[in-house]
Amino acid sequence: MAGELKVLKILLEEGSLSGIAKVRMANWSGELLSSPREKSEELLEEEDIHRYGVYLLLSDEKAYVGQSRDLARRLGEHLLGKDWWDRAIVLTRIEGEAFDRSDIDYLESVLIEKAEEAGTLDIDNHNRGNPRKVDEFKKAELDSFLGNALFIMSLLGVSVLEKGSRKGRPLIEAPGHPDEEGLRRRRKGDAVKFLKARGVPVDGRKANYAVLSQDGKTFWMNPRIERLEDDWWLLLNDMEEKKVHVLFVPKGSLRKEQFLIRPDKPYYLDIHIEKGTYLERKSGAGLSPYFFRDVDY
């Protein structure tokens, strides 16, 4: 028997997932927006995210799930509060009755459960969702909504909510040079793979990744303090010069006292590396002795 016919409308603002994607589906009341981190400022200007909804912050290895009655405001806070994610997914309703608080409580809790089962839930996802207060009719409606959203995410290559998570490949990605496209998406996994293919022995488990700020001056990251207790790779994606600056810090070379620590989360360092000099702007610590190699793309 043939599967259910699905008709999708997909708007790729830059012709590929390197920009914001908006996805709608026939007979579905929702809208899914996908944005790489570097396009977050533009995502916050989208009219449809100033409403109730749920969101996911994603990397290749983990997911953070949240909800808000004003998605734009909450996502704006995460631009400052978390540095590891490379894509945001927003789910909201654009047709019929808008979501209410009990709706997004339910959707959030189900997505958190999926990430927990997949072993990819971010350690900062302390909230496990509010109690579910929906009746069986509303539950069936929301499960159907979420089923369509998960189907769309699979088309976008999102796999971190699946058990035995595989590296997803987008099915709707427009063609482009694979190296540059991967790095433009700001995905740490793509950067690690790219560097290994060019002879850099980077260990992705011991690496932090950052993209040049919009003012073209610094690379910002919030690594956990434990990074200093082992060999540490810093991968700095300079999208202006189209190269990755690679730094390697051997175990024991730096101490946490040399850097500023986030006051709200004292297990994270607050690091702003100056382009060209590799000076840590806030503390004055010099990282230039640890320069390893530049790799063009």
Side-chain angles (χ1 to χ4, degrees), residues 70 127-128 135 142 154 159 248 268 281:
D70 185 344
N127 179 20
R128 290 302 186 265
D135 61 27
L142 293 172
S154 72
S159 58
F248 175 68
Y268 283 120
R281 180 172 287 184

Side-chain angles (χ1 to χ4, degrees), residues 53-263:
V54 294
Y55 63 90
L56 301 95
L57 306 179
L58 304 171
S59 72
D60 283 337
E61 296 87 17
K62 61 182 177 178
Y64 180 94
V65 183
Q67 58 153 285
S68 180
R69 65 181 63 192
D70 185 344
L71 289 162
R73 180 190 60 78
R74 189 72 179 113
L75 285 169
E77 294 171 357
H78 283 313
L79 283 178
L80 299 175
K82 301 181 186 300
D83 75 325
W84 54 264
W85 59 277
D86 49 52
R87 185 193 296 188
I89 297 284
V90 172
L91 290 171
T92 189
R93 177 173 276 167
I94 58 167
E95 297 177 6
E97 294 183 5
F99 284 138
D100 60 24
R101 185 58 183 265
S102 62
D103 294 338
I104 60 175
D105 282 347
Y106 180 81
L107 294 172
E108 179 193 37
S109 65
V110 173
L111 288 168
I112 287 172
E113 278 186 3
K114 288 185 175 296
E116 281 188 310
E117 291 171 0
T120 56
L121 190 67
D122 179 38
I123 190 172
D124 280 348
N125 228 145
H126 301 301
N127 179 20
R128 290 302 186 265
N130 296 322
R132 302 177 185 181
K133 300 176 181 178
V134 297
D135 61 27
E136 57 185 321
F137 299 100
K138 176 63 76 169
K139 178 181 181 301
E141 177 187 332
L142 293 172
D143 285 343
S144 175
F145 178 94
L146 194 55
N148 284 321
L150 292 169
F151 170 77
I152 294 169
M153 281 190 263
S154 72
L155 294 182
L156 301 181
V158 174
S159 58
V160 293
L161 299 180
E162 302 173 12
K163 292 182 180 179
S165 177
R166 55 178 172 74
K167 300 296 183 187
R169 294 294 301 171
L171 300 183
I172 63 171
E173 188 70 80
H177 191 282
D179 292 338
E180 184 169 350
E181 282 299 304
L183 291 167
R184 284 180 63 197
R185 286 198 299 269
R186 291 184 55 142
R187 293 159 59 109
K188 175 183 169 184
D190 286 333
V192 170
K193 187 185 302 181
F194 167 77
L195 292 169
K196 283 184 174 180
R198 283 149 183 81
V200 180
V202 59
D203 185 342
R205 297 167 301 175
K206 301 177 181 180
N208 281 93
Y209 178 59
V211 172
L212 188 65
S213 59
Q214 291 187 346
D215 63 10
K217 296 180 180 179
T218 58
F219 301 90
W220 171 70
M221 60 178 66
N222 278 155
R224 296 183 69 88
I225 290 176
E226 301 92 270
R227 283 282 192 239
L228 303 178
E229 299 172 2
D230 202 345
D231 292 341
W232 184 26
W233 293 90
L234 290 84
L235 315 179
L236 311 179
N237 184 359
D238 186 337
M239 298 174 73
E240 288 185 348
E241 297 186 16
K242 293 189 177 179
K243 61 179 59 178
V244 180
H245 309 294
V246 182
L247 283 69
F248 175 68
V249 182
K251 178 179 178 180
S253 300
L254 297 170
R255 306 181 314 278
K256 67 179 182 180
E257 292 79 15
Q258 293 176 259
F259 300 97
L260 294 182
I261 297 175
R262 285 187 49 173

